[in-house]
């Protein structure tokens, strides 16, 4: 387990992904799933919930999918979105990845023949590379996120999306964004 407290440049991030056997993303809700695409483009297959935006490119040929518990919160109203427009919302749909199911999938990926992980990795990399705008738009997406984050715009003004320092994570509850620094990369 590596704890990171800095942003990595694209080459270092790709090297980190390439050093992994699988990339694990037990998210509750995800917009575009850019980190999953980055991981798949770099090499390892993903372990992700069978839910949400990642299903545009994650399936049994590219990934290890975990059956989540779906949660629908009956939230209704008109909300301002970080991009400057309003959205009418009837409910909020997200998922919880049960720890036991995630552990089962981690074990399944660990025990899978290397050839299976390699097939999934190759299929995932091919799928991640099929959208020509992926690389061209990544920089623009990162800039937009940094702009919103540095100015506390949209979701970045909510306490739940405040980036925590590593020392703060022990006190945190629920969803967390943690900045990290690579201290050591090795074979495990």
């Amino acid at each position: 387990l590596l704890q990171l407290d800095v942003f990595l440049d694209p080459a270092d991030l790709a090297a980190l992904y390439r050093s992994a056997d699988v990339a694990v993303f037990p998210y509750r809700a995800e917009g575009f799933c850019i980190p999953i695409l980055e991981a798949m483009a770099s090499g390892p297959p993903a372990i992700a919930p069978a839910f949400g935006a990642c299903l545009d490119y994650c399936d049994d040929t590219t990934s290890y999918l975990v059956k989540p518990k779906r949660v629908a919160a009956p939230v209704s109203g008109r909300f301002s979105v970080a991009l400057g427009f309003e959205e009418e919302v009837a409910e909020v749909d997200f998922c919880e990845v049960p720890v036991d199911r995630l552990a089962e999938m981690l074990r399944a990926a660990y025990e899978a023949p290397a050839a299976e992980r390699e097939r999934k990795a190759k299929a995932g990399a091919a799928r991640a590379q099929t959208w020509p705008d992926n690389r061209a738009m990544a920089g623009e997406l990162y800039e937009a996120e940094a702009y919103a984050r540095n100015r506390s715009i949209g979701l970045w003004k909510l306490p739940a999306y405040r980036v925590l320092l590593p020392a703060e994570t022990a006190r945190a509850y629920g969803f967390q964004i943690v900045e990290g620094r690579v201290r050591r990369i090795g074979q495990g």
Side-chain angles (χ1 to χ4, degrees), residues 150-171:
N150 292 333
R151 290 164 180 78
S152 296
I153 297 171
L155 64 85
W156 292 106
K157 68 182 171 189
L158 302 174
Y161 286 88
R162 185 177 68 78
V163 177
L164 302 175
L165 298 173
E168 297 176 287
T169 60
R171 298 186 310 271

Side-chain angles (χ1 to χ4, degrees), residues 72-79 88-94:
V75 176
S76 180
R78 193 162 194 74
F79 300 91
E88 185 72 32
V89 176
E91 75 175 9
V92 175
D93 193 21
F94 61 98

